[in-house]
Amino acid sequence: MKKLVWFVLGIGAGFVLAHVVDKDPRGHEVLADLDARISEFTDRMGDAYREQEARLDAVVAAATPTDA
């Protein structure tokens, strides 16, 4: 239970810190840059996932016998 309390307090402190940093123009720039980097990373991961899924679908389709 004690670990859960510390975890929740840490999340809350992180939100408060991000809010305070976001008020400063320089901090706002840093957070905007961080957000752009995270968005780029998640976009790349999503593209790679869809590409791998298409490859696996092609392998499964090639290995599946047809009744024709």
Side-chain angles (χ1 to χ4, degrees):
M1 187 68 175
K2 186 176 179 180
K3 290 182 181 183
L4 178 65
V5 170
W6 280 111
F7 180 71
V8 171
L9 284 174
I11 290 174
F15 278 113
V16 169
L17 181 63
H19 181 72
V20 170
V21 169
D22 193 40
K23 286 184 178 182
D24 182 35
R26 291 175 295 170
H28 185 76
E29 279 184 35
V30 168
L31 290 178
D33 182 50
L34 179 63
D35 183 47
R37 288 177 185 221
I38 290 171
S39 295
E40 180 184 353
F41 174 76
T42 56
D43 289 345
R44 285 185 182 187
M45 291 300 293
D47 291 343
Y49 176 83
R50 286 184 286 282
E51 183 180 320
Q52 184 66 19
E53 186 177 33
R55 284 184 194 157
L56 291 174
D57 286 344
V59 169
V60 169
T64 304
T66 59
D67 291 337

